[in-house]
Every structure is written in structure tokens, then in C-alpha cells.
Amino acid sequence: TYAVVIGGVLLVFNTIGAQWSQLQWLVAALGVGIGFGLQEIVANFISGLIILFERPVRVGDTVTVGEISGTVTRIQIRATTIRGWDNKELLVPNREFITGRLLNWTLSDRVIRLTLVVGVAYGTDMDLALRLVREAAEEEERVLDDPAPLVSFDAFGDSALMINLRVYISSIDYRIAVNTSLHKAINSRFAEAGIVIAFPQRHLHLETPSPLRIRVEEDRVPASPEV
């Protein structure tokens, strides 16, 4: 489209007999004006051309720009439209795609990895816990067999033994559904096996200039009236 427009303009000037010597001062003035007043617009226009030729983003791609994630719905001369997860549309200047950091979730393929972290109480049979987590991943239909799910015992946490589950799914569209399904399956299997999912524990130490007065009182339940 741009090539046709430029060719048409040149053809019009050639038809009316305009010569380069007559237009060079006008072109020079436009160049100065663009350099000072329209540099942002020109930068976004050139960035739009680079996007069209290099295709770092395409309509339908899922991208993250800064703190904004969504699906690319339109690529125009000045800006690219991204529809967020809450269906709001954001216009992002094309320059940000070229000069800034861009995360394209679907550039080469739509396969992504999910990582789930679960903490179990100290004293848990870790071989059993790891096996149950692996079985939950293998029974989820939307989890890919290749690459296979990876379960690891990663750390001794402050209040729990940390287990990480890493799985691959065929599309980012399944991310929330698979994440929910795996959490439910792991929770159900742990409950059946008597494995406790740990919660944070804190110890409180009081420092006072003088000893604290502690009094223990008996919980007195009022006697029921005699009938």
C-alpha cells in the first residue's frame, strides 16, 4: 500500500511537470519539520514498517509488553492494538515493540510450560508425595507427554518441604484451566493419602524490661439451673 501511494504521488508530480530542482526546498523544509516536530510519529511509522517486514509480532499472537499481556488484534501505522485478558483494548506505540523488551508467547509455537509449587509438612514421605504429584500430572489430558512432566524436591522451606511440578501444555489458552485442574487433583490425592499441605508457622518472642505477670484462670462454666 505504501509503495502504491508513493508511486502514485511521483506519477502525479511527473504528470504536472514538477522537477526535483523545484521541489528540493520543499522536501528540505519538510525534513526539518519532521525532525523537530514529528519525530515520535515518524519513529512509530518506521517501527510499524519494521514490524511488518520482520514480523516479531503478528495478529493473533499473545504478547507481554511491560506489565500488559494480551492478544494482538490489529497492527496499524502508528500503534498496535492489544486486547487484554479483561477484554480492554490497549494501543501500544510501535516504537515500544522495536526499542523495548517484548515477550511473545506464541512466536514460534503455542506450547508453554506451567510451574506449580506445593509445600508439604516436615516429616512427610517425600517419595509418596512426589509420586502422587506425578500421577496427577500424567492423568491430566491437556498436559503433553513430550516433553514429559518433571517433578522435583527443590528446597527445605521455612515451614515446608517444597515440591515443584513443571508441565507443558499445547496452548496458552489452557493455562488457567490446567492450573486449576492440577491443583485440585494434587489436593485431593494428598488428602486421601493423609499428606498435610504446610502453612506458615511463626514463633513470637517478647522482650520486656521487667518480667511479665502471667495468670492462669479456670474456665468456669455456669451451672445449669436445677429443675
Side-chain angles (χ1 to χ4, degrees), residues 24-77:
Q24 58 183 349
W25 297 111
L26 176 61
V27 173
L30 288 175
V32 173
I34 289 174
F36 283 98
L38 303 176
Q39 54 182 345
E40 290 295 328
I41 296 178
V42 172
N44 289 322
F45 174 76
I46 298 301
S47 298
L49 294 179
I50 295 175
I51 291 175
L52 291 176
F53 282 103
E54 292 190 357
R55 298 177 67 81
V57 292
R58 300 154 299 186
V59 174
D61 282 351
T62 301
V63 299
T64 298
V65 181
E67 299 180 355
I68 303 299
S69 296
T71 303
V72 177
T73 58
R74 185 181 303 173
I75 300 176
Q76 296 178 307
I77 295 177

Side-chain angles (χ1 to χ4, degrees), residues 45-176:
F45 174 76
I46 298 301
S47 298
L49 294 179
I50 295 175
I51 291 175
L52 291 176
F53 282 103
E54 292 190 357
R55 298 177 67 81
V57 292
R58 300 154 299 186
V59 174
D61 282 351
T62 301
V63 299
T64 298
V65 181
E67 299 180 355
I68 303 299
S69 296
T71 303
V72 177
T73 58
R74 185 181 303 173
I75 300 176
Q76 296 178 307
I77 295 177
R78 187 190 67 84
T80 295
T81 304
I82 298 177
R83 179 178 287 119
W85 308 131
D86 53 1
N87 212 35
K88 294 180 180 179
E89 292 188 325
L90 175 69
L91 295 178
V92 180
N94 291 328
R95 184 177 181 180
E96 294 190 19
F97 289 97
I98 303 302
T99 60
R101 292 189 176 184
L102 168 67
L103 175 60
N104 191 334
W105 296 82
T106 55
L107 180 60
S108 10
D109 58 50
R110 300 187 67 85
V111 175
I112 65 167
R113 188 179 76 173
L114 290 181
T115 301
L116 281 70
V117 181
V118 57
V120 297
Y122 275 86
T124 299
D125 183 349
M126 292 305 293
D127 291 333
L128 174 61
L130 294 173
R131 178 170 59 82
L132 293 178
V133 172
R134 183 178 294 105
E135 289 176 355
E138 292 174 348
E139 291 184 3
E140 170 56 49
E141 297 178 353
R142 289 161 292 191
V143 171
L144 298 180
D145 296 329
D146 185 19
L150 175 62
V151 184
S152 59
F153 175 17
D154 276 9
F156 295 93
D158 293 337
S159 306
L161 304 175
M162 308 308 299
I163 298 175
N164 274 16
L165 170 62
R166 299 172 178 86
V167 298
Y168 289 86
I169 57 177
S170 59
S171 174
I172 194 174
D173 298 334
Y174 304 143
R175 180 172 58 92
I176 296 178

